[in-house]
């Protein structure tokens, strides 16, 4: 019990201004859950709606890797401490795929309706990450071949669904990006192992059915 409570305290530890410690969360993800992470590019300090990267039209300001690149993602505690020791406010970026969770994301309004419908259907979900515009449901790792077969078998897949697999990424709480706060819509339960996540097939099947049943409009975003 002491070990579990210690993990929870570290994941939820606060800075002096009352906001969660990014380095503590990053260490939990990397060393305890074995999720490879890296620091994201910061939002432009002069205008937080813009990204700090060279792309003036960046669509995910402050919520993507830049320097270092995605391939630098690691579970090494020393590297994580060095990164966030030097960049304490950098967003935490999860490199999806491989041994790490993947994700299925959709616009926030549609996602809210979909999760309500999934709960009614008795669908078991793991952690769900929310940004102001999109929510991402974490799922078990899958290959592009598996995803291709899954989508090919569908008569209809909403165009607003996005898939974050091998070579993809998701910003994790408690990051702050140019768009706003990254938070847990469904928080992982504290424990001694990486949080449970469902199969991608189950999530896609249920999400498509939920969106179809509810008639939710899920525009491209």
């Amino acid at each position: 019990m002491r070990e579990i409570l210690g993990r929870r305290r570290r994941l939820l530890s606060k800075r002096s201004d009352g906001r969660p410690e990014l380095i503590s969360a990053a260490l939990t993800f990397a060393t305890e859950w074995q999720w490879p992470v890296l620091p994201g590019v910061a939002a432009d300090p002069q205008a937080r709606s813009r990204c700090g990267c060279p792309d003036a039209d960046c669509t995910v300001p402050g919520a993507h890797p830049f320097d270092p690149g995605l391939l630098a993602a690691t579970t090494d505690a020393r590297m994580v401490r060095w990164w966030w020791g030097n960049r304490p406010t950098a967003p935490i970026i999860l490199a999806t795929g491989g041994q790490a969770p993947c994700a299925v994301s959709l616009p926030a309004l549609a996602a809210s309706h979909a999760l309500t419908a999934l709960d009614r259907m008795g669908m078991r979900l793991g952690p769900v990450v929310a940004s102001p515009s999109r929510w991402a449901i974490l799922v078990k790792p899958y290959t592009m071949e598996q995803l291709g077969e899954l989508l090919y078998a569908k008569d209809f897949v909403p165009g607003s669904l996005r898939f974050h697999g091998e070579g993809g990424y998701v910003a994790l709480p408690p990051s702050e990006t140019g768009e706003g706060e990254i938070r847990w819509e469904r928080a992982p339960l504290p424990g001694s192992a990486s949080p449970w996540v469902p199969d991608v097939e189950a999530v896609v099947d249920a999400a498509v059915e939920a969106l179809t049943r509810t008639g939710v409009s899920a525009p491209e975003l």
Side-chain angles (χ1 to χ4, degrees):
M1 178 62 73
R2 181 178 300 171
E3 179 185 14
I4 293 176
L5 291 176
R7 292 169 191 269
R8 181 173 177 81
R9 282 196 296 268
R10 193 166 85 176
L11 182 61
L12 300 179
S13 60
K14 304 287 185 177
R15 303 187 320 202
S16 59
D17 62 4
R19 292 172 59 190
E21 281 276 9
L22 286 162
I23 189 170
S24 296
L27 283 168
T28 295
F29 301 142
T31 63
E32 297 180 10
W33 298 354
Q34 292 297 293
W35 291 3
V37 298
L38 74 163
V41 62
D44 187 334
Q46 303 302 317
R48 290 198 58 82
S49 61
R50 295 201 306 264
C51 192
C53 75
D55 183 359
D57 299 317
C58 180
T59 58
V60 284
H64 67 91
F66 174 63
D67 182 18
L70 187 63
L71 292 179
T74 185
T75 59
D76 183 76
R78 292 172 299 176
M79 197 71 237
V80 170
R81 289 192 183 96
W82 187 86
W83 276 333
W84 273 274
N86 287 280
R87 299 164 59 181
T89 62
I92 304 170
I93 304 297
L94 166 68
T96 54
Q99 299 302 311
C102 294
V104 177
S105 71
L106 61 163
L109 179 59
S112 176
H113 286 283
L115 259 62
T116 299
L118 297 181
D119 287 341
R120 289 173 181 162
M121 295 161 57
M123 172 74 188
R124 182 187 177 192
L125 294 175
V128 177
V129 177
S131 76
S133 64
R134 295 187 72 86
W135 293 5
I137 303 171
L138 299 187
V139 298
K140 291 179 182 177
Y142 58 77
T143 65
M144 292 306 295
E145 290 76 15
Q146 290 173 317
L147 180 62
E149 292 176 1
L150 172 63
L151 299 182
Y152 182 77
K154 293 288 180 190
D155 293 328
F156 168 73
V157 176
S160 58
L161 282 178
R162 293 181 186 166
F163 301 92
H164 309 259
E166 187 77 32
Y169 58 87
V170 172
L172 294 175
S175 301
E176 283 282 341
T177 70
E179 188 183 30
E181 178 189 7
I182 305 296
R183 61 179 178 81
W184 294 114
E185 175 62 27
R186 301 284 176 90
L189 297 175
S192 59
S194 180
W196 178 89
V197 292
D199 291 326
V200 66
E201 293 87 353
V203 168
V204 171
D205 288 347
V208 170
E209 182 176 349
L211 291 173
T212 303
R213 277 186 179 183
T214 58
V216 173
S217 174
E220 295 278 0
L221 283 177

